[in-house]
Amino acid sequence: MHYDAPSAGWQDEGQSGIWKYQELLPPVPLNRRVYLGEGATPLIRSVSLEKRLGLGELYFKYEGSNPTGSYKDRIAAMGISWALAHGRKACIGTTSGNAGAAVAAYAARAGLPYHLFVLEHMAQTKLAQVLVHNAQVRRVAGFGTSPEVGDTVFSRIFEAAGLKDWEVMITAFRYNPYAMEGVKTISFELAEQLQNVPTQVYTAAGGAGLFVGVWKGFEELFRHGLLSAKPHMVAVQSAGCSNLVRAYEAGAEQPAPGASTSQISGLQVPNPPDGKVALSLMKKGDGSSLAVEDEAIWEVQRQLAEEEGIFCEPAGAVSVAGMMKALQGKEGNRSQRVVCVISGAGFKDSARLSAMTADKPVPLLPADGLDI
Amino acid sequence: MHYDAPSAGWQDEGQSGIWKYQELLPPVPLNRRVYLGEGATPLIRSVSLEKRLGLGELYFKYEGSNPTGSYKDRIAAMGISWALAHGRKACIGTTSGNAGAAVAAYAARAGLPYHLFVLEHMAQTKLAQVLVHNAQVRRVAGFGTSPEVGDTVFSRIFEAAGLKDWEVMITAFRYNPYAMEGVKTISFELAEQLQNVPTQVYTAAGGAGLFVGVWKGFEELFRHGLLSAKPHMVAVQSAGCSNLVRAYEAGAEQPAPGASTSQISGLQVPNPPDGKVALSLMKKGDGSSLAVEDEAIWEVQRQLAEEEGIFCEPAGAVSVAGMMKALQGKEGNRSQRVVCVISGAGFKDSARLSAMTADKPVPLLPADGLDI
């Protein structure tokens, strides 16, 4: 592996994407920065929901335009660059889908082998997005159903990574805090795009890394005196996997136990690795948490596609569904400047796309009977 | 329909995306500009092919990060904004896939109904990307196989559009020159990103609108004195549908007739609507054309995913395949600064993704036998 980032012309790759904010990221030499066009995602103002909810301003931070279609590309860009800078010879991890696609793309570009252990019953389409970048994938019997198998997989991964000096690319602050610093760039971009502080930022909370990372970004801007205030952060979960919400409501320090019954990929995390940190920042008043039913999430996914023109994956719509639940019927929304982070693109979940469109009529007409 | 583009904060939506270059686009009032995060796509420098080909500089302009995953979003943003500015009550058109998804998303955001007529045997996944934004889709018996039916559909579309004052959203200069002006923003971004003129720009040529639009962008920059030179433009086709290449080689003014045997969606255009314009600009020395076999295109698609970390649709890889065919084994490549436009994201063609990954081994291991 002899990766050297190419030096470009005006748009130096080492200065674009997440590296626009290099002063606030872990240091990586210019020639080790792996760039695929991550970050600089659009901030899209609502044309429909804002009015319906009577909000002052409502924005969608659309992470689906990242190179592999989700915010995980920011983490992969940071983590793989970091791994290269530290001479790692490979990376290793697990994934439920989006993280794997992101790490596989950046590892391929960097010339690093990617050893990936996945659930026994991983969906074929999620698997394909990893395999296309030539990741070395192995399914593990019982992984995803047996907690003991999960423990075994994690301890084997960390053991092998330690012995071989590989980078552990599991997208949680608990497992790779350096890589996760990439998430902060969402907040940095938001502050620049709005030239202002949002009053509230809603994010999905599966493993809770997105929520913690966006909070951390605003926290750092605030502490450096670059922002005059911080937004209130809201972690939105599926009611079928609401371990943070229940712990938050009970004032607990650890996520509440309980299996996931949610059908939504990315939100099915019974034991969120960054849950404790998320709860601690809620406790000191920086955030809160609420849950919405899978059906409500799917309904909002449909509304976003039909009314706002934004087609996201179901896990990308949960932030918006949570915002609607929190604000509907409330007074005083006019004073609010709300951002919902839409974590990934609609194509990520092709089964859901089929389900959304299967019953829409597409009549077959004869050419001489085109009644327009 | 009472669309008013929302006025945003610092990043005014009416100034972002294609509207960064409003001085060189058809005029549209600020409150009629429909924005979904189109444009501002990454320019990614090669880490693998550049060295292998001995090129001075090789860049990929990755259009897959547009909101619906292809460069057609630039056309849809321009065309739907233009339609709104002119009081149209709906839009109408045909599509083989990507254009439909783009127009459907922007029309949904603008609150404009989209009447769409598609091939009798349109692939279900392409259809779903249109239906999710609630386009009114009708299949037409014999459309795609019978030339007479094609003529009937087009004349009915133009007749209805004229009577009802609807916008015809067919993505070709021949049918909607205003919308197609959006393609020029690819060239404007390239000139800014490189701060220089590419020596050669390779694009796919299906209907030839992408090729003509990118040429037009550079031509305008050159004529306005903003660039000191123009790149040589290369239109790359599938050998299975090489009507431009054959006409170019014969010195003809019209695309050569002949049915398509290409398997690649987006390149199967036996009678390219912008073919005549494309041939005329080749004739005056601004461009040339060549063809590559479908198998070579698929092979390059695989290489881009495995070596560069870029997963594009097959039609997105054709520009790179053409460049490789043109330059391989040649001397003097060191002096060249080459750009290949990658027109769309890999998820656009899910059947191809399955085919690419179906034979990659994914062993199932017992948890106590993880040999890492």
Side-chain angles (χ1 to χ4, degrees), chain B residues 69-85:
Chain B
S70 87
Y71 79 98
K72 300 280 189 181
D73 288 319
R74 299 177 189 264
I75 305 170
M78 182 68 237
I80 296 295
S81 300
W82 178 262
L84 278 176

Side-chain angles (χ1 to χ4, degrees), chain B:
Chain B
M1 203 290 304
H2 301 284
Y3 180 89
D4 263 304
S7 56
W10 171 75
Q11 194 202 38
D12 190 331
E13 291 194 348
Q15 315 281 342
S16 294
I18 62 169
W19 301 110
K20 183 176 177 186
Y21 307 102
Q22 55 186 298
E23 289 88 350
L24 295 170
L25 293 176
V28 170
L30 267 170
N31 68 348
R32 290 293 177 267
R33 296 179 187 174
V34 187
Y35 174 74
L36 273 173
E38 67 285 349
T41 57
L43 185 68
I44 304 170
R45 189 156 174 183
S46 169
V47 293
S48 169
L49 291 183
E50 178 183 288
K51 288 175 201 152
R52 203 191 310 160
L53 298 166
L55 277 168
E57 299 166 40
L58 172 61
Y59 300 92
F60 308 111
K61 181 67 169 164
Y62 182 62
E63 289 291 297
S65 66
N66 278 297
T68 76
S70 87
Y71 79 98
K72 300 280 189 181
D73 288 319
R74 299 177 189 264
I75 305 170
M78 182 68 237
I80 296 295
S81 300
W82 178 262
L84 278 176
H86 289 78
R88 308 278 192 257
K89 299 285 175 283
C91 57
I92 183 169
T94 66
T95 185
S96 62
N98 290 356
V103 174
Y106 283 83
R109 183 166 178 82
L112 288 183
Y114 177 29
H115 302 277
L116 180 61
F117 297 85
V118 301
L119 308 187
E120 180 171 354
H121 301 291
M122 189 173 178
Q124 191 59 40
T125 52
K126 295 262 178 184
L127 204 51
Q129 292 172 38
V130 177
L131 290 171
V132 79
H133 295 294
N134 239 5
Q136 305 300 307
V137 187
R138 275 148 285 185
R139 293 181 298 135
V140 183
F143 191 21
T145 47
S146 154
E148 295 75 36
V149 167
D151 291 346
T152 305
V153 172
F154 272 71
S155 59
R156 286 293 291 126
I157 284 176
F158 278 92
E159 187 186 355
L163 282 171
K164 295 166 190 262
D165 203 25
W166 289 353
E167 187 77 9
V168 175
M169 285 299 293
I170 301 178
T171 56
F173 282 94
R174 180 166 152 196
Y175 299 122
N176 191 328
Y178 298 102
M180 292 299 288
E181 291 286 289
V183 178
K184 297 187 309 189
T185 56
I186 294 175
S187 318
F188 302 159
E189 291 175 14
L190 281 173
E192 274 203 292
Q193 287 171 313
L194 286 169
Q195 287 283 295
N196 216 325
V197 187
T199 51
Q200 299 173 16
V201 176
Y202 290 79
T203 76
L210 173 61
F211 175 75
V212 171
V214 173
W215 168 81
K216 192 166 190 283
F218 281 114
E219 176 75 17
E220 290 185 7
L221 293 179
F222 180 69
R223 273 200 253 151
H224 289 298
L226 296 165
L227 286 183
S228 58
K230 292 185 286 180
H232 181 80
M233 296 285 311
V234 186
V236 190
Q237 295 198 292
S238 163
C241 191
S242 59
N243 29 47
L244 280 182
V245 179
R246 285 176 288 124
Y248 168 71
E249 290 174 349
E253 286 183 5
Q254 294 279 359
S260 168
T261 59
S262 172
Q263 299 296 306
I264 294 177
S265 175
L267 301 180
Q268 305 152 316
V269 188
N271 189 14
D274 293 327
K276 191 179 172 185
V277 182
L279 288 166
S280 74
L281 70 90
M282 292 177 202
K283 197 145 204 163
K284 69 180 189 124
D286 284 357
S288 56
S289 190
L290 61 89
V292 283
E293 300 288 338
D294 284 2
E295 287 70 21
I297 298 167
W298 290 324
E299 169 60 18
V300 170
Q301 184 195 19
R302 186 192 65 74
Q303 289 177 21
L304 288 170
E306 295 185 1
E307 297 176 24
E308 303 279 358
I310 298 171
F311 176 45
C312 64
E313 65 174 339
V318 71
S319 60
V320 184
M323 179 274 299
M324 289 171 73
K325 180 174 175 181
L327 299 185
Q328 209 136 32
K330 292 258 175 72
E331 299 292 320
N333 293 346
R334 273 267 145 236
S335 65
Q336 296 184 346
R337 183 185 304 114
V338 175
V339 173
C340 295
V341 178
I342 294 188
S343 53
F347 75 84
K348 285 289 186 178
D349 191 338
S350 56
R352 176 69 195 149
L353 175 58
S354 301
M356 288 171 86
T357 55
D359 62 348
K360 297 207 177 188
V362 183
L364 176 65
L365 303 178
D368 56 5
L370 295 186
D371 181 29
I372 308 179

Side-chain angles (χ1 to χ4, degrees), chain A residues 356-369:
Chain A
M356 288 172 86
T357 54
D359 63 348
K360 297 207 178 191
V362 184
L364 176 65
L365 303 179
D368 56 6

Side-chain angles (χ1 to χ4, degrees), chain A residues 86-120:
Chain A
H86 290 79
R88 308 279 191 255
K89 299 287 175 281
C91 57
I92 184 170
T94 66
T95 185
S96 63
N98 290 355
V103 174
Y106 284 83
R109 183 166 177 83
L112 287 184
Y114 176 30
H115 302 276
L116 180 62
F117 297 85
V118 301
L119 309 187
E120 181 170 354

Side-chain angles (χ1 to χ4, degrees), chain A residues 224-259:
Chain A
H224 289 298
L226 296 165
L227 286 184
S228 58
K230 292 186 285 180
H232 181 80
M233 295 285 310
V234 186
V236 189
Q237 295 197 295
S238 162
C241 191
S242 58
N243 29 48
L244 280 182
V245 179
R246 285 176 289 123
Y248 168 71
E249 289 173 351
E253 286 184 3
Q254 294 279 0

